Amino acid sequence: MVRPKPALRTTASITTAAVLLAGAALGAAPAATAAPTGASAPASTTAKGLTFHDIPGSGGITLKGNVVTPTGAPAGTKHPLIVFPTSWAMPQIEYLAQAQKLADSGYVVVSYTSRGFWLSGGEIEVAGPPDIADASAVIDWALEHTSADPDRIGMGGVSYGAGISLLAAGHDPRVKAVAALSGWADLIDSIYSGRTQHLQAAALLGGAGLATGRPGDELTQTLKDFLGSNLDKEAEMIAWGKKRSPAAHLDAINANGAAVMMGNAWGDTIFPPNQYASFYDKLTGPKRLEFRPGDHATAELTGLFGLPNDTWTSTRRWFDRYLKDEHNGIDTEPPVQLKSRTGEGYEGYPDWKSVGAAQSRIPLDGAKKVWANVDSGANGGITLLSNALDQFLKLPPTVSVPLLPRTFASVWQSERYATEQRVRGTSRLHTTVTSTKPSGTFVAYLYDVGPLGIGKLVSNAPYTFHGQTPGRPFPVDLELYSTAYDVPAGHRLALVIDTVDPLYIEHNPTGAQLTFSSPGTDPSHLSVPLREK
């Protein structure tokens, strides 16, 4: 396997060190407490219906948790149970606002700090087998120590809690319903899509993990190899990620038959929406998919503070339907619900393939050459910040398309559209690339370009190659990140390709040039999915 150039390895090594130092500067995580000698430490009550507990996890560790129970129920009454593992780097109080709402409607809710973080024991396993065993151990504990009904058990959470919940649904048949919010189905396709390391996402997770928890040796080495572009370990890293991906456990999840609701944001820079949509298509049980504007976990954020929130409203309705058998209509609505980044209200579809059923093809004529290793000015923004600004203020990353330096960026534009174009789903790029070096990286951007040439980012995606013969053309097919965006009449779409983006690690050797061409026998094009009229 081709090794990255020394300069890249050096830069990535410096980046790795900076990430670890930044995490340490945020403050060391508290040491984990020792496991109690009994089944559970005495509970401490701080509010009506809320108690805090030491919960035995797998392998003899202690998980810090809390329980919120319904009040006023007759003795002996059994209640449906919901288990919430915390998000990455978050403590056990994360879900208290939503847990109280659920308890008020008749649920027992158990939240716990995932192993390796804060005061929970063990090391960070990144949703490895010990984390899944912890989920089952928490269910065991809840059935013994609360009024939980063993036949009505659900799991859910945001981000890390979502991934653990999906994985648990494939390993513990007692889980009957799941709400997986801002999570992942394929870890590799999330932070290594296009065979490109998502630098900011991995650095943020690594730094937050070090600041609030205790990464194990395996995670530390994997992160070092990943950020250091150690391609000799690529197969091992992919195997590590697959083991932690619900997509690799799809058969078990389908066999157990849990009702699965998944929600995510169009601009999630840690777990992009494509991998969720692909996984959703393959589920065979009751299922629902919701996409909204925002970045990672921003769609659920206000609900964690107890404020009105569409995602959490759907979550409660989902649990009510499949754990309390309430016929509230959520199972009769179109199961795919989308909210455009530029519009209001929701659109319902019978399945994911019906999203963007119409296609518009933009030809990518001619041959365009770019020099690598120089940022043209086109980029995908900053993790968590840019797409949150798009969500709340309708301010996506922008660029002046006419001013982009054509030496470092290739640009193709559509004609001006006479009518509004409602982009829905996944745009697909097909092109032919010729490189002067065996390795390289490019990033494709789709912009909505107004009359003054200002382009608003619609979508993007990176692509990295290794082992190509210099000077020999090769075909490339690349999926851009799925989105819902309305292009106004009088605007046009522009495809921009350059070779540097702060979101990603690039693999362009010094002096590399990339040529994008359109052979007559295999013309290059961008296929843009549109909502049918």
Side-chain angles (χ1 to χ4, degrees):
M1 184 172 290
V2 178
R3 293 179 180 271
K5 62 179 188 275
L8 174 60
R9 291 200 298 272
T10 301
T11 301
S13 297
I14 294 172
T15 300
T16 304
V19 169
L20 298 179
L21 289 172
L26 290 173
T33 56
T37 55
S40 174
S44 60
T45 303
T46 61
K48 188 175 181 180
L50 169 64
T51 54
F52 290 87
H53 300 265
D54 287 345
I55 302 175
S58 65
I61 71 160
T62 299
L63 300 169
K64 294 294 182 176
N66 62 70
V67 179
V68 185
T69 57
T71 58
T77 301
K78 291 294 185 180
H79 301 92
L81 167 67
I82 296 175
V83 175
F84 283 138
T86 57
S87 303
W88 185 268
M90 292 295 287
Q92 58 167 300
I93 60 171
E94 176 184 10
Y95 301 109
L96 281 184
Q98 289 301 320
Q100 188 62 66
K101 291 178 183 290
L102 287 162
D104 288 345
S105 65
Y107 292 91
V108 170
V109 184
V110 179
S111 303
Y112 68 94
T113 303
S114 300
R115 71 162 50 219
F117 289 104
W118 296 97
L119 294 176
S120 280
E123 296 178 333
I124 301 172
E125 299 284 349
V126 195
D131 289 297
I132 311 312
D134 284 345
S136 292
V138 171
I139 292 174
D140 292 341
W141 180 89
L143 293 177
E144 181 179 353
H145 292 89
T146 74
S147 60
D149 185 340
D151 296 322
R152 295 184 292 167
I153 298 173
M155 287 194 66
V158 177
S159 186
Y160 197 46
I164 291 174
S165 296
L166 276 176
L167 286 161
H171 289 79
D172 194 327
R174 296 175 296 181
V175 178
K176 304 302 183 186
V178 170
L181 313 176
S182 289
W184 76 93
D186 188 325
L187 194 57
I188 299 302
D189 200 31
S190 294
I191 61 174
Y192 195 50
S193 67
R195 206 179 176 186
T196 307
Q197 299 102 316
H198 294 212
L199 172 62
Q200 291 184 19
L204 177 65
L205 294 173
L210 186 61
T212 62
R214 297 166 301 283
D217 292 341
E218 185 180 29
L219 171 58
T220 300
Q221 186 61 50
T222 299
L223 186 62
K224 179 180 178 182
D225 291 337
F226 184 80
L227 292 175
S229 299
N230 186 354
L231 294 179
D232 288 340
K233 295 296 184 70
E234 184 181 42
E236 293 179 29
M237 288 187 282
I238 290 175
W240 179 88
K242 282 187 174 181
K243 184 167 65 174
R244 291 159 169 79
S245 297
H249 304 271
L250 176 69
D251 290 344
I253 294 171
N254 283 335
N256 287 343
V260 176
M261 188 193 98
M262 298 160 50
N264 205 352
W266 292 120
D268 194 321
T269 46
I270 295 180
F271 303 130
N274 302 46
Q275 44 94 31
Y276 243 25
S278 176
F279 180 74
Y280 170 84
D281 268 348
K282 300 179 180 70
L283 291 171
T284 58
K287 58 184 180 178
R288 183 178 176 92
L289 179 66
E290 299 184 351
F291 284 136
R292 298 176 176 84
D295 205 312
H296 183 66
T298 62
E300 301 84 22
L301 183 61
T302 57
L304 294 176
F305 292 100
L307 300 174
N309 182 278
D310 290 351
T311 305
W312 286 104
T313 297
S314 292
T315 295
R316 292 194 296 273
R317 293 179 66 213
W318 190 253
F319 285 140
D320 287 347
R321 177 65 188 91
Y322 291 101
L323 296 182
K324 296 168 72 175
D325 199 29
E326 290 185 2
H327 294 274
N328 54 21
I330 196 168
D331 57 329
T332 61
E333 299 168 358
V336 176
Q337 294 284 323
L338 312 181
K339 187 174 184 180
S340 170
R341 289 166 46 201
T342 50
E344 300 295 333
Y346 289 86
E347 303 167 0
Y349 298 84
D351 47 43
W352 177 250
K353 68 181 179 182
S354 299
V355 176
Q359 296 286 322
S360 174
R361 179 172 288 198
I362 300 174
L364 309 178
D365 297 328
K368 299 181 186 292
K369 180 184 295 185
V370 297
W371 287 86
N373 297 309
V374 176
D375 191 341
S376 71
N379 65 71
I382 301 171
T383 290
L384 296 185
L385 176 61
S386 297
N387 290 316
L389 290 175
D390 182 35
Q391 175 185 358
F392 295 111
L393 301 176
K394 300 291 193 259
L395 293 175
T398 59
V399 71
S400 175
V401 174
L403 296 181
L404 286 172
R406 274 27 179 198
T407 303
F408 308 116
S410 295
V411 180
W412 298 264
Q413 297 191 73
S414 71
E415 299 296 327
R416 295 191 187 278
Y417 295 112
T419 59
E420 180 184 63
Q421 304 293 295
R422 293 179 290 183
V423 178
R424 298 291 185 272
T426 309
S427 296
R428 292 174 170 85
L429 168 66
H430 175 74
T431 189
T432 295
V433 179
T434 305
S435 175
T436 60
K437 304 291 183 179
S439 297
T441 298
F442 67 85
V443 184
Y445 308 90
L446 182 62
Y447 286 101
D448 160 26
V449 184
L452 298 179
I454 301 301
K456 295 181 178 180
L457 186 65
V458 177
S459 184
N460 77 99
Y463 185 90
T464 293
F465 58 88
H466 297 287
Q468 293 295 333
T469 301
R472 178 182 296 174
F474 60 94
V476 168
D477 289 287
L478 175 63
E479 286 191 351
L480 276 63
Y481 300 139
S482 302
T483 194
Y485 185 99
D486 302 316
V487 180
H491 287 214
R492 65 179 77 199
L493 286 171
L495 177 73
V496 176
I497 298 179
D498 75 359
T499 62
V500 176
D501 190 313
L503 285 173
Y504 312 112
I505 290 179
E506 53 86 13
H507 293 255
N508 294 300
T510 302
Q513 298 177 56
L514 301 179
T515 300
F516 302 92
S517 59
S518 183
T521 56
D522 186 22
S524 296
H525 62 272
L526 179 72
S527 182
V528 180
L530 301 175
R531 181 183 176 189
E532 291 184 322
K533 304 297 183 184

